[in-house]
Amino acid sequence: MKAKFLVPLFLFLGLAGFLAFGLTLNPREVPSPLIDKPAPAFTLARVDDPAQQFSLADMRGKVWLLNVWASWCVACRQEHPVLVDLARRNLVPVVGLNYKEVRGDGQLDARGMALDAETGLAVERARRWLGEHGNPYVLSVLDIDGRVGIDFGVYGVPETFLIDGNGKIRYKHIGPITPENLQQVILPKVEEVRRAG
Amino acid sequence: MPADRISLHPRGLRALARAGALAAMLWLSPAHAVDAPPAGEVAPTVAADPRLEADVQELAHKLRCLVCQNQSIAESNAPLALDLRNQVREQLAAGRSKQDVVDYLVARYGDFVLYEPPVKGITLLLWGGPAALLLAGIGWLAYRVRRRAVESAAVTALSEAEHARAQALLAGGAPGDAPPSSANRESRS
């Protein structure tokens, strides 16, 4: 019991250890409750041809990525070359979810805009952006009002979901994908999901 | 996470800056200032029924905005908060219960959307921790108080000899070594 005076020191060190660990966590990365749950079903108009619809069920049997993007999203520009490179290497199909293309843009006043007009503008803007930066997507769909985004628990752009052949979400990446993220986390996850079935 | 992942609320930031300036000028509380609808925003809709709107507001104050994490979706001006408020309003108007709406959001965004974390296995320490610390503190205090009582009881019990010496001292005698006299003390000062 001679070392009793050291007890507060060890209590302090324990607390400091916890706090130091806390500093390494990112409070902006909120874990998704949708992991290993069926992806929310949706049917949305395609950017390449708004008359055509794309449904979640269309990708059944494939392991694929759903990437949330928008032309007004700055971080998407940072991420985009990584996706273009991924598409060139033909490793995993990526579907784009164009999120609130018009009404999400802070520079634009979309109040009172008719849905048809908004859709037309969204298509035009999305195509122009893909033309400028390259199109890594198998196809992109328009989430005009962000409702599908809410179903997926999207709270920022970009976000990327890994969906397996049964339509289950297996992984969510929050924020722009870096080449390191892709090589060290996402592609190994894709392999793992593919092996699992 | 790079700092530029603020894409969802460029307006929110601008509105906040504007609100901040306004608050500084008018000495308004910021909570009131950010209520002003930001420019370029889809006009905030309000339910026609005041009781429904009161329910919407009550619920919105309990839900966390995921973009501005220290604000509720009632306070936040981020577009996502606006979307979620509209969702809450729409679903309550459609006759769903408050619990339904909360479940709907928790299913998508997780327990993080709740300002009050639910009591379950993983939050047991969070909820029970303070009470456990309090009980531990009380227990420790009781132990120390009891031990001190025992110790001081042992100290106060004087032996026969000590008792006699104390009596002698009190009577003014100087058995053995004498205490310093008052004269000695005065001469030193």
Side-chain angles (χ1 to χ4, degrees):
Chain A
M1 285 309 266
K2 254 185 240 163
K4 212 170 156 188
F5 70 95
L6 284 177
V7 169
L9 177 68
F10 284 113
L11 281 178
F12 167 76
L13 286 179
L15 188 65
F18 276 118
L19 293 176
F21 174 68
L23 283 178
T24 66
L25 302 175
N26 185 350
R28 290 258 148 217
E29 284 198 21
V30 181
S32 173
L34 290 167
I35 305 298
D36 292 328
K37 301 254 170 66
F42 65 85
T43 301
L44 290 171
R46 291 168 59 150
V47 168
D48 54 350
D49 179 7
Q52 276 197 61
Q53 306 257 306
F54 168 82
S55 297
L56 187 82
D58 296 350
M59 292 303 277
R60 197 152 266 278
K62 286 182 191 148
V63 176
W64 55 293
L65 297 177
L66 181 73
N67 176 248
V68 185
W69 69 281
S71 73
W72 44 260
C73 156
V74 180
C76 296
R77 289 170 198 233
Q78 182 190 339
E79 168 187 75
H80 209 67
V82 181
L83 294 179
V84 172
D85 180 54
L86 176 67
R88 202 172 24 235
R89 286 155 69 196
N90 215 1
L91 292 171
V92 58
V94 185
V95 172
L97 179 72
N98 179 282
Y99 180 80
K100 292 172 76 174
E101 175 63 45
V102 175
R103 62 181 80 175
D105 187 346
Q107 315 295 317
L108 225 79
D109 188 354
R111 274 180 295 188
M113 195 183 248
L115 190 61
D116 278 353
E118 194 180 343
T119 307
L121 184 59
V123 167
E124 186 199 317
R125 286 168 51 112
R127 283 185 190 162
R128 190 177 343 122
W129 198 79
L130 290 177
E132 277 169 24
H133 296 87
N135 185 356
Y137 303 113
V138 187
L139 60 102
S140 274
V141 290
L142 291 165
D143 185 17
I144 295 284
D145 57 7
R147 196 60 78 80
V148 172
I150 290 181
D151 280 344
F152 273 83
V154 171
Y155 64 93
V157 191
E159 284 182 3
T160 306
F161 297 86
L162 170 61
I163 301 175
D164 72 9
N166 298 317
K168 269 192 186 156
I169 296 177
R170 302 300 295 270
Y171 180 70
K172 177 184 183 181
H173 181 88
I174 295 164
I177 299 174
T178 62
E180 293 77 39
N181 293 155
L182 188 70
Q183 285 306 330
Q184 287 158 23
V185 183
I186 296 176
L187 288 177
K189 284 263 179 201
V190 169
E191 272 315 304
E192 187 191 314
V193 170
R194 276 200 180 126
R195 270 200 308 273
Chain B
M1 181 73 46
D4 60 350
R5 206 183 108 91
I6 49 166
S7 311
L8 263 189
H9 60 159
R11 268 193 307 272
L13 281 182
R14 231 183 306 130
L16 212 64
R18 209 171 42 219
L22 204 69
M25 271 192 308
L26 301 175
W27 203 250
L28 278 177
S29 86
H32 286 123
V34 292
D35 274 346
E41 192 52 84
V42 181
T45 41
V46 172
D49 178 0
R51 265 177 53 207
L52 173 63
E53 188 58 29
D55 281 352
V56 171
Q57 289 304 322
E58 191 206 321
L59 204 50
H61 275 102
K62 290 181 182 164
L63 297 167
R64 186 195 302 275
C65 172
L66 283 103
V67 182
C68 316
Q69 296 185 343
N70 285 328
Q71 282 186 308
S72 71
I73 62 168
E75 298 157 339
S76 174
N77 253 331
L80 181 71
L82 185 78
D83 286 355
L84 293 181
R85 274 203 304 273
N86 287 339
Q87 276 290 323
V88 170
R89 186 174 296 115
E90 227 171 81
Q91 298 200 10
L92 287 180
R96 301 183 68 183
S97 73
K98 284 185 193 171
Q99 192 54 48
D100 287 344
V101 178
V102 168
D103 291 345
Y104 166 90
L105 287 169
V106 168
R108 282 153 183 79
Y109 293 100
D111 288 336
F112 194 75
V113 289
L114 304 173
Y115 256 115
E116 189 174 296
V119 184
K120 53 184 186 183
I122 200 168
T123 57
L124 220 56
L125 193 62
L126 183 68
W127 281 99
L133 278 177
L134 183 70
L135 286 178
I138 290 174
W140 180 75
L141 195 67
Y143 167 74
R144 287 305 300 250
V145 165
R146 190 133 21 104
R147 219 178 70 165
R148 184 165 303 172
V150 170
E151 274 168 11
S152 54
V155 166
T156 46
L158 296 179
S159 67
E160 277 302 308
E162 282 170 331
H163 207 81
R165 185 165 169 248
Q167 287 289 353
L169 281 169
L170 285 169
D177 47 46
S181 72
S182 55
N184 273 347
R185 246 176 288 150
E186 268 160 44
S187 69
R188 255 191 280 137
S189 59

